[in-house]
Coordinates of all heavy atoms in Angstrom, one line a residue:
G1 N 25.9 296.9 -51.2 CA 26.4 297.7 -50.2 C 27.8 298.2 -50.5 O 28.4 297.8 -51.4
T2 N 28.2 299.1 -49.7 CA 29.5 299.7 -49.9 C 30.3 299.7 -48.5 O 29.7 299.5 -47.5 CB 29.5 301.1 -50.3 OG1 28.9 301.9 -49.4 CG2 28.9 301.3 -51.7
C3 N 31.6 299.8 -48.6 CA 32.4 300.0 -47.4 C 33.4 301.0 -47.5 O 33.9 301.3 -48.6 CB 33.0 298.7 -47.0 SG 34.2 298.0 -48.1
R4 N 33.8 301.6 -46.5 CA 34.8 302.7 -46.5 C 35.5 302.6 -45.2 O 35.0 302.6 -44.2 CB 34.1 304.0 -46.6 CG 34.9 305.2 -46.5 CD 34.1 306.4 -46.6 NE 34.9 307.4 -47.3 CZ 34.6 308.0 -48.4 NH1 33.5 307.7 -49.0 NH2 35.4 308.8 -49.1
T5 N 36.9 302.7 -45.3 CA 37.8 302.8 -44.1 C 38.6 304.1 -44.2 O 39.2 304.4 -45.2 CB 38.7 301.6 -44.1 OG1 38.0 300.4 -44.1 CG2 39.5 301.6 -42.8
E6 N 38.4 304.9 -43.2 CA 39.2 306.2 -43.1 C 39.2 306.7 -41.7 O 38.6 306.1 -40.8 CB 38.4 307.2 -44.0 CG 37.1 307.5 -43.5 CD 36.3 308.5 -44.4 OE1 36.9 308.8 -45.5 OE2 35.3 309.0 -44.0
F7 N 40.0 307.8 -41.5 CA 40.0 308.4 -40.3 C 38.8 309.4 -40.4 O 38.4 309.9 -41.4 CB 41.3 309.2 -40.1 CG 42.4 308.3 -39.8 CD1 43.4 308.0 -40.7 CD2 42.6 307.8 -38.5 CE1 44.4 307.1 -40.4 CE2 43.6 307.0 -38.2 CZ 44.6 306.6 -39.1
P8 N 38.2 309.7 -39.2 CA 37.0 310.5 -39.2 C 37.3 311.9 -39.8 O 38.3 312.6 -39.5 CB 36.5 310.6 -37.8 CG 37.7 310.0 -37.0 CD 38.6 309.4 -37.8
Q9 N 36.4 312.4 -40.6 CA 36.4 313.7 -41.2 C 35.6 314.6 -40.3 O 34.4 314.2 -40.0 CB 35.9 313.7 -42.6 CG 36.6 312.8 -43.6 CD 38.1 313.2 -43.7 OE1 38.4 314.4 -43.8 NE2 39.1 312.3 -43.8
P10 N 36.0 315.8 -40.1 CA 35.1 316.8 -39.3 C 33.7 317.0 -39.9 O 32.8 317.2 -39.3 CB 35.9 318.0 -39.2 CG 37.3 317.6 -39.6 CD 37.2 316.4 -40.4
S11 N 33.6 317.0 -41.2 CA 32.3 317.2 -41.8 C 31.3 316.1 -41.7 O 30.1 316.3 -41.9 CB 32.6 317.5 -43.4 OG 33.1 316.3 -44.0
T12 N 31.8 314.9 -41.4 CA 30.9 313.8 -41.3 C 30.3 313.6 -40.0 O 29.3 312.9 -39.8 CB 31.5 312.4 -41.8 OG1 32.6 312.2 -40.9 CG2 32.0 312.4 -43.3
H13 N 30.9 314.1 -38.9 CA 30.5 314.1 -37.5 C 30.2 312.6 -37.0 O 29.1 312.4 -36.6 CB 29.2 315.0 -37.3 CG 29.4 316.4 -37.7 ND1 30.2 317.2 -37.2 CD2 28.8 317.0 -38.8 CE1 30.1 318.3 -37.8 NE2 29.3 318.3 -38.8
P14 N 31.1 311.7 -37.2 CA 30.9 310.3 -36.8 C 30.8 310.2 -35.2 O 31.4 311.0 -34.5 CB 32.1 309.5 -37.2 CG 33.2 310.6 -37.3 CD 32.5 311.8 -37.7
M15 N 29.8 309.4 -34.7 CA 29.6 309.2 -33.3 C 29.8 307.8 -32.9 O 29.6 306.8 -33.7 CB 28.2 309.7 -32.9 CG 27.9 311.1 -33.3 SD 28.9 312.2 -32.3 CE 27.8 313.5 -31.9
L16 N 30.3 307.6 -31.7 CA 30.3 306.2 -31.1 C 28.8 305.7 -30.7 O 27.9 306.6 -30.7 CB 31.2 306.2 -29.9 CG 32.7 306.5 -30.1 CD1 33.5 306.6 -28.9 CD2 33.3 305.4 -31.1
M17 N 28.7 304.6 -30.4 CA 27.4 304.0 -30.0 C 26.8 304.8 -28.8 O 25.6 304.9 -28.7 CB 27.4 302.5 -29.7 CG 27.8 301.7 -31.0 SD 26.6 301.8 -32.3 CE 25.3 300.8 -31.6
D18 N 27.7 305.3 -27.9 CA 27.2 305.9 -26.8 C 27.0 307.5 -27.0 O 26.6 308.2 -26.1 CB 28.1 305.8 -25.5 CG 29.5 306.2 -25.8 OD1 29.7 306.8 -26.9 OD2 30.3 306.1 -24.9
G19 N 27.1 307.9 -28.2 CA 26.9 309.4 -28.6 C 28.1 310.2 -28.5 O 28.0 311.5 -28.8
R20 N 29.2 309.8 -28.1 CA 30.4 310.6 -28.0 C 31.0 310.6 -29.4 O 30.9 309.7 -30.2 CB 31.4 310.0 -27.0 CG 31.0 310.1 -25.6 CD 32.1 309.6 -24.6 NE 32.2 308.1 -24.9 CZ 33.4 307.5 -24.9 NH1 34.5 308.2 -24.8 NH2 33.4 306.2 -25.1
P21 N 31.8 311.7 -29.8 CA 32.4 311.8 -31.1 C 33.6 310.8 -31.2 O 34.1 310.5 -30.2 CB 32.9 313.2 -31.2 CG 32.7 313.9 -29.9 CD 31.8 313.0 -29.0
V22 N 33.8 310.3 -32.3 CA 35.0 309.4 -32.6 C 36.3 310.2 -32.5 O 36.3 311.2 -33.0 CB 34.8 308.7 -33.9 CG1 36.0 307.8 -34.3 CG2 33.5 307.9 -34.1
P23 N 37.3 309.7 -31.8 CA 38.6 310.4 -31.7 C 39.2 310.5 -33.1 O 39.0 309.6 -33.9 CB 39.4 309.5 -30.7 CG 38.5 308.7 -30.0 CD 37.2 308.5 -30.9
A24 N 39.9 311.6 -33.3 CA 40.5 311.8 -34.6 C 41.5 310.8 -35.0 O 41.7 310.6 -36.3 CB 41.0 313.3 -34.7
D25 N 42.2 310.1 -34.1 CA 43.2 309.2 -34.5 C 42.7 307.8 -34.5 O 43.4 306.8 -34.7 CB 44.3 309.2 -33.5 CG 43.9 308.9 -32.1 OD1 42.7 308.9 -31.8 OD2 44.8 308.6 -31.2
Q26 N 41.4 307.6 -34.4 CA 40.9 306.1 -34.5 C 40.2 305.9 -35.9 O 39.3 306.7 -36.3 CB 39.7 306.1 -33.4 CG 39.0 304.6 -33.4 CD 38.0 304.5 -32.4 OE1 37.8 305.4 -31.5 NE2 37.3 303.4 -32.4
P27 N 40.7 305.0 -36.6 CA 40.1 304.7 -37.9 C 38.7 304.2 -37.8 O 38.4 303.5 -36.7 CB 41.0 303.7 -38.6 CG 41.8 303.1 -37.5 CD 41.9 304.0 -36.3
I28 N 37.8 304.4 -38.7 CA 36.5 303.9 -38.7 C 36.2 303.1 -39.9 O 36.8 303.4 -41.0 CB 35.4 305.1 -38.6 CG1 35.6 306.1 -39.6 CG2 35.6 305.8 -37.2 CD1 34.5 307.2 -39.6
L29 N 35.3 302.2 -39.8 CA 34.8 301.3 -40.9 C 33.4 301.6 -41.1 O 32.6 301.3 -40.1 CB 35.2 299.9 -40.7 CG 34.6 298.9 -41.7 CD1 35.3 299.1 -43.0 CD2 34.8 297.5 -41.2
M30 N 32.9 302.1 -42.2 CA 31.5 302.2 -42.6 C 31.1 301.2 -43.6 O 31.8 301.0 -44.5 CB 31.3 303.7 -43.1 CG 31.6 304.7 -42.1 SD 31.2 306.3 -42.8 CE 32.7 306.6 -43.8
V31 N 30.1 300.4 -43.3 CA 29.6 299.4 -44.1 C 28.1 299.5 -44.4 O 27.4 299.8 -43.5 CB 29.9 298.0 -43.5 CG1 29.4 296.9 -44.4 CG2 31.4 297.9 -43.2
G32 N 27.7 299.4 -45.6 CA 26.3 299.2 -45.9 C 25.7 300.5 -46.4 O 26.4 301.4 -47.0
V33 N 24.4 300.6 -46.2 CA 23.7 301.8 -46.6 C 23.5 302.7 -45.5 O 23.2 302.4 -44.4 CB 22.3 301.3 -47.1 CG1 21.4 302.4 -47.7 CG2 22.5 300.2 -48.2
P34 N 23.5 304.1 -45.8 CA 23.3 305.0 -44.7 C 21.9 305.1 -44.3 O 21.2 306.2 -44.6 CB 23.9 306.3 -45.2 CG 23.8 306.2 -46.7 CD 23.9 304.7 -47.0
F35 N 21.3 304.2 -43.6 CA 19.9 304.2 -43.2 C 19.6 305.4 -42.2 O 18.5 305.9 -42.3 CB 19.5 302.9 -42.5 CG 19.4 301.7 -43.4 CD1 20.3 300.7 -43.2 CD2 18.5 301.7 -44.4 CE1 20.1 299.6 -44.1 CE2 18.3 300.7 -45.2 CZ 19.2 299.6 -45.1
F36 N 20.6 305.7 -41.5 CA 20.4 306.8 -40.4 C 20.9 308.1 -41.0 O 21.1 309.0 -40.0 CB 21.1 306.4 -39.2 CG 20.6 305.0 -38.7 CD1 21.5 303.9 -38.7 CD2 19.3 304.9 -38.2 CE1 21.0 302.7 -38.2 CE2 18.9 303.6 -37.8 CZ 19.8 302.5 -37.8
A37 N 20.9 308.4 -42.2 CA 21.2 309.7 -42.7 C 20.1 310.7 -42.3 O 18.9 310.3 -42.3 CB 21.4 309.7 -44.1
N38 N 20.5 311.9 -42.0 CA 19.5 312.9 -41.6 C 18.5 313.3 -42.6 O 17.4 313.6 -42.3 CB 20.2 314.2 -41.1 CG 21.1 314.0 -39.9 OD1 20.8 313.0 -39.1 ND2 22.1 314.8 -39.7
S39 N 18.9 313.2 -43.8 CA 18.0 313.5 -45.0 C 18.5 312.7 -46.2 O 19.4 312.0 -46.2 CB 18.1 315.0 -45.3 OG 19.3 315.4 -45.7
L40 N 17.7 312.8 -47.2 CA 18.0 312.3 -48.5 C 19.3 312.9 -49.1 O 20.2 312.2 -49.7 CB 16.9 312.4 -49.6 CG 17.0 311.7 -50.8 CD1 17.1 310.2 -50.6 CD2 15.8 311.9 -51.7
S41 N 19.5 314.2 -48.9 CA 20.7 314.8 -49.4 C 21.9 314.3 -48.6 O 23.1 314.2 -49.2 CB 20.6 316.3 -49.3 OG 20.5 316.7 -48.0
G42 N 21.7 313.9 -47.4 CA 22.8 313.3 -46.5 C 23.2 312.1 -47.0 O 24.4 311.7 -47.1
A43 N 22.2 311.2 -47.4 CA 22.5 309.8 -48.0 C 23.2 310.1 -49.3 O 24.2 309.3 -49.6 CB 21.2 309.0 -48.1
Y44 N 22.8 311.0 -50.2 CA 23.4 311.3 -51.4 C 24.8 311.7 -51.2 O 25.7 311.2 -51.9 CB 22.6 312.3 -52.2 CG 23.2 312.8 -53.4 CD1 23.2 312.0 -54.6 CD2 24.0 314.0 -53.5 CE1 23.8 312.5 -55.8 CE2 24.6 314.4 -54.7 CZ 24.5 313.7 -55.7 OH 25.2 314.1 -56.9
H45 N 25.0 312.5 -50.3 CA 26.5 313.0 -50.0 C 27.4 311.9 -49.5 O 28.5 311.9 -49.9 CB 26.4 314.2 -49.0 CG 27.8 314.6 -48.6 ND1 28.6 315.4 -49.4 CD2 28.5 314.5 -47.4 CE1 29.7 315.6 -48.9 NE2 29.7 315.1 -47.7
S46 N 26.8 310.9 -48.8 CA 27.6 309.8 -48.3 C 28.1 309.0 -49.5 O 29.1 308.5 -49.4 CB 26.7 308.9 -47.4 OG 27.4 307.7 -47.1
Y47 N 27.3 308.8 -50.6 CA 27.7 308.0 -51.7 C 28.5 308.8 -52.7 O 29.2 308.2 -53.4 CB 26.4 307.4 -52.4 CG 25.8 306.3 -51.7 CD1 24.6 306.2 -51.4 CD2 26.7 305.1 -51.4 CE1 24.0 305.1 -50.6 CE2 26.1 304.0 -50.8 CZ 24.9 304.0 -50.3 OH 24.3 302.9 -49.8
T48 N 28.4 310.1 -52.7 CA 29.1 310.9 -53.8 C 30.3 311.7 -53.2 O 30.6 312.7 -53.9 CB 28.2 311.7 -54.5 OG1 27.5 312.6 -53.6 CG2 27.1 310.8 -55.3
E49 N 30.7 311.4 -52.0 CA 31.8 312.2 -51.3 C 33.0 312.2 -52.1 O 33.7 313.2 -52.2 CB 32.0 311.6 -50.0 CG 32.8 312.5 -49.1 CD 32.8 312.0 -47.6 OE1 31.9 311.5 -47.2 OE2 33.9 312.5 -47.0
D50 N 33.4 311.1 -52.8 CA 34.6 311.0 -53.6 C 34.3 310.0 -54.7 O 33.3 309.3 -54.7 CB 35.8 310.7 -52.8 CG 35.8 309.4 -52.1 OD1 34.8 308.6 -52.3 OD2 36.8 309.1 -51.4
T51 N 35.3 309.9 -55.6 CA 35.1 309.0 -56.8 C 35.1 307.5 -56.5 O 34.4 306.8 -57.0 CB 36.2 309.3 -57.9 OG1 36.3 310.8 -58.1 CG2 36.1 308.5 -59.1
Q52 N 35.9 307.1 -55.5 CA 36.0 305.8 -55.1 C 34.6 305.4 -54.5 O 34.2 304.2 -54.8 CB 37.1 305.6 -54.0 CG 37.2 304.2 -53.4 CD 38.2 304.1 -52.4 OE1 38.7 305.0 -51.8 NE2 38.4 302.8 -51.9
Q53 N 34.1 306.1 -53.7 CA 32.7 305.8 -53.1 C 31.6 305.7 -54.2 O 30.9 304.7 -54.1 CB 32.3 306.8 -52.0 CG 31.2 306.4 -51.3 CD 31.6 305.3 -50.2 OE1 32.8 305.0 -50.0 NE2 30.7 304.8 -49.6
T54 N 31.7 306.5 -55.1 CA 30.7 306.5 -56.3 C 30.8 305.3 -57.0 O 29.9 304.5 -57.4 CB 30.8 307.7 -57.0 OG1 30.7 308.9 -56.2 CG2 29.8 307.7 -58.2
C55 N 32.1 304.9 -57.3 CA 32.4 303.7 -58.1 C 32.0 302.4 -57.4 O 31.5 301.5 -58.0 CB 33.9 303.6 -58.5 SG 34.3 304.9 -59.7
Q56 N 32.2 302.4 -56.0 CA 31.8 301.3 -55.2 C 30.4 301.1 -55.3 O 29.8 299.9 -55.1 CB 32.3 301.4 -53.8 CG 33.7 301.0 -53.5 CD 34.1 301.1 -52.1 OE1 33.4 301.5 -51.3 NE2 35.3 300.5 -51.8
L57 N 29.6 302.1 -55.5 CA 28.1 302.0 -55.6 C 27.7 301.6 -56.9 O 26.9 300.7 -57.1 CB 27.5 303.4 -55.2 CG 26.0 303.5 -55.4 CD1 25.2 302.5 -54.5 CD2 25.5 304.9 -55.3
L58 N 28.3 302.2 -58.0 CA 27.8 302.0 -59.4 C 28.3 300.7 -60.0 O 27.6 300.2 -60.8 CB 28.2 303.2 -60.2 CG 27.5 304.6 -59.8 CD1 28.0 305.6 -60.7 CD2 26.0 304.4 -59.9
L59 N 29.5 300.2 -59.6 CA 30.0 299.0 -60.3 C 29.1 297.8 -60.0 O 28.8 297.1 -61.0 CB 31.5 298.7 -59.8 CG 32.1 297.6 -60.4 CD1 32.2 297.8 -61.9 CD2 33.5 297.3 -59.8
P60 N 28.7 297.5 -58.8 CA 27.8 296.3 -58.6 C 26.5 296.5 -59.3 O 26.0 295.5 -59.9 CB 27.6 296.2 -57.1 CG 28.8 296.9 -56.5 CD 29.1 298.0 -57.5
L61 N 26.0 297.7 -59.3 CA 24.8 298.0 -60.1 C 24.9 297.7 -61.5 O 24.0 297.1 -62.2 CB 24.3 299.3 -59.8 CG 23.8 299.7 -58.3 CD1 23.4 301.1 -58.2 CD2 22.7 298.8 -57.9
A62 N 26.0 298.2 -62.1 CA 26.3 297.9 -63.5 C 26.4 296.4 -63.9 O 25.9 295.9 -64.9 CB 27.6 298.7 -64.0
V63 N 27.1 295.7 -63.0 CA 27.3 294.2 -63.2 C 26.0 293.5 -63.2 O 25.7 292.6 -64.0 CB 28.2 293.6 -62.2 CG1 28.3 292.1 -62.2 CG2 29.7 294.2 -62.5
A64 N 25.1 293.9 -62.2 CA 23.8 293.3 -62.1 C 22.9 293.6 -63.3 O 22.2 292.7 -63.9 CB 23.1 293.7 -60.9
A65 N 23.0 294.9 -63.8 CA 22.2 295.3 -65.0 C 22.7 294.5 -66.3 O 21.9 294.0 -67.1 CB 22.4 296.7 -65.2
I66 N 24.1 294.3 -66.4 CA 24.6 293.5 -67.6 C 24.1 292.0 -67.5 O 23.7 291.5 -68.5 CB 26.1 293.6 -67.6 CG1 26.4 295.0 -68.0 CG2 26.7 292.6 -68.5 CD1 28.0 295.3 -67.8
A67 N 24.2 291.5 -66.3 CA 23.7 290.1 -66.1 C 22.2 290.0 -66.4 O 21.9 289.0 -67.1 CB 24.1 289.6 -64.7
A68 N 21.4 290.9 -65.9 CA 20.0 290.8 -66.2 C 19.7 290.9 -67.7 O 18.8 290.1 -68.3 CB 19.3 291.8 -65.4
L69 N 20.3 291.8 -68.4 CA 20.2 292.0 -69.8 C 20.6 290.7 -70.6 O 20.0 290.3 -71.6 CB 20.9 293.2 -70.4 CG 20.3 294.5 -69.9 CD1 21.3 295.7 -70.4 CD2 19.0 294.7 -70.5
R70 N 21.7 290.2 -70.2 CA 22.2 288.9 -70.9 C 21.2 287.8 -70.7 O 21.0 287.0 -71.6 CB 23.6 288.6 -70.3 CG 24.2 287.4 -71.0 CD 24.5 287.7 -72.4 NE 25.1 286.6 -73.0 CZ 25.0 286.2 -74.3 NH1 24.4 286.9 -75.2 NH2 25.6 285.1 -74.7
M71 N 20.7 287.6 -69.5 CA 19.8 286.5 -69.2 C 18.5 286.7 -70.1 O 17.9 285.8 -70.6 CB 19.3 286.5 -67.7 CG 20.4 285.9 -66.9 SD 20.1 286.0 -65.1 CE 18.5 285.2 -65.1
K72 N 18.1 288.0 -70.3 CA 16.9 288.2 -71.1 C 17.2 287.9 -72.5 O 16.4 287.3 -73.2 CB 16.5 289.7 -71.0 CG 15.3 290.1 -71.7 CD 14.9 291.5 -71.5 CE 13.6 291.8 -72.3 NZ 13.2 293.2 -72.1
Q73 N 18.4 288.3 -73.0 CA 18.7 288.0 -74.4 C 18.8 286.4 -74.6 O 18.3 285.9 -75.7 CB 20.1 288.5 -74.7 CG 20.2 290.0 -75.0 CD 21.7 290.4 -75.2 OE1 22.6 289.8 -74.9 NE2 21.7 291.7 -75.8
L74 N 19.4 285.7 -73.6 CA 19.4 284.2 -73.7 C 18.1 283.6 -73.7 O 17.7 282.6 -74.4 CB 20.3 283.6 -72.7 CG 21.7 284.0 -72.9 CD1 22.6 283.4 -71.6 CD2 22.3 283.4 -74.1
A75 N 17.2 284.1 -72.9 CA 15.8 283.7 -72.8 C 15.0 283.9 -74.2 O 14.4 283.0 -74.7 CB 15.0 284.3 -71.7
L76 N 15.2 285.0 -74.7 CA 14.6 285.3 -76.0 C 15.2 284.4 -77.1 O 14.4 283.9 -78.0 CB 14.8 286.8 -76.4 CG 14.0 287.8 -75.5 CD1 14.3 289.2 -75.9 CD2 12.5 287.6 -75.7
R77 N 16.4 284.2 -77.1 CA 17.0 283.3 -78.1 C 16.6 281.9 -78.0 O 16.3 281.2 -79.0 CB 18.6 283.4 -78.0 CG 19.3 282.5 -79.0 CD 20.8 282.6 -78.9 NE 21.2 283.9 -79.2 CZ 22.4 284.4 -79.1 NH1 23.4 283.6 -78.6 NH2 22.7 285.6 -79.4
S78 N 16.5 281.4 -76.7 CA 16.0 280.0 -76.6 C 14.5 279.9 -76.9 O 14.1 279.0 -77.5 CB 16.2 279.5 -75.2 OG 15.4 280.3 -74.2
A79 N 13.7 281.0 -76.7 CA 12.3 280.9 -77.1 C 12.2 280.9 -78.6 O 11.3 280.2 -79.2 CB 11.6 282.1 -76.5
R80 N 13.1 281.6 -79.4 CA 13.0 281.7 -80.8 C 13.4 280.3 -81.3 O 12.8 279.9 -82.3 CB 14.0 282.7 -81.3 CG 13.9 282.9 -82.8 CD 14.7 284.1 -83.3 NE 16.1 283.8 -83.0 CZ 17.0 284.7 -82.8 NH1 16.7 286.0 -82.9 NH2 18.2 284.4 -82.5
F81 N 14.4 279.6 -80.7 CA 14.9 278.3 -81.2 C 13.7 277.3 -81.0 O 13.5 276.4 -81.9 CB 16.1 277.8 -80.5 CG 17.3 278.5 -80.9 CD1 18.3 278.8 -80.1 CD2 17.5 278.7 -82.3 CE1 19.5 279.4 -80.6 CE2 18.7 279.4 -82.8 CZ 19.6 279.7 -81.9
I82 N 12.9 277.4 -79.9 CA 11.8 276.5 -79.6 C 10.8 276.7 -80.6 O 10.1 275.7 -81.1 CB 11.4 276.7 -78.2 CG1 12.4 276.2 -77.2 CG2 10.0 275.9 -78.0 CD1 12.1 276.4 -75.8
S83 N 10.4 277.9 -80.9 CA 9.3 278.2 -81.9 C 9.6 277.9 -83.3 O 8.7 277.4 -84.1 CB 8.9 279.7 -81.8 OG 9.9 280.6 -82.3
T84 N 10.9 277.9 -83.7 CA 11.3 277.6 -85.1 C 11.4 276.1 -85.2 O 11.4 275.6 -86.4 CB 12.6 278.3 -85.5 OG1 13.5 277.9 -84.6 CG2 12.4 279.8 -85.5
A85 N 11.6 275.3 -84.2 CA 11.7 273.9 -84.3 C 10.5 273.2 -84.5 O 10.4 272.0 -84.9 CB 12.4 273.3 -83.0
C86 N 9.3 273.8 -84.3 CA 8.0 273.2 -84.5 C 7.7 273.0 -85.9 O 7.5 273.5 -86.8 CB 6.9 273.9 -83.7 SG 7.2 273.9 -82.0

């Protein structure tokens, strides 16, 4: 997930739980995945609004991919050591 703290931007149209717009001087905290985005392009815009938001999305994915590839390499290496020991 990602998180973002900012003052409301007019283009995002943030709403309170009762449907009223968020006051311009009230900071907001957005956490997680935009499940309630109006469309797929709205969700895409949420993640690519600026460089910081994009990096917050891609960095954990990159770390997970590196960890998965490393585990696969170690598994293949240990399988090779077991097969050559016989």
Side-chain angles (χ1 to χ4, degrees):
T2 62
C3 65
R4 173 185 216 118
T5 304
E6 64 181 9
F7 288 102
Q9 301 295 322
S11 62
T12 59
H13 307 293
M15 300 293 219
L16 296 173
M17 295 297 282
D18 61 2
R20 292 182 294 137
V22 176
D25 62 345
Q26 179 179 351
I28 55 175
L29 173 67
M30 294 181 279
V31 179
V33 180
F35 287 118
F36 303 111
N38 294 337
S39 64
L40 189 58
S41 65
Y44 173 78
H45 177 69
S46 172
Y47 281 123
T48 58
E49 192 169 334
D50 62 5
T51 306
Q52 178 187 5
Q53 192 73 12
T54 304
C55 291
Q56 281 186 348
L57 173 68
L58 295 178
L59 183 63
L61 294 176
V63 170
I66 290 168
L69 289 173
R70 183 66 179 150
M71 286 176 52
K72 184 176 179 179
Q73 285 177 339
L74 291 174
L76 290 174
R77 182 178 292 171
S78 67
R80 188 175 58 206
F81 284 142
I82 292 171
S83 65
T84 59
C86 294

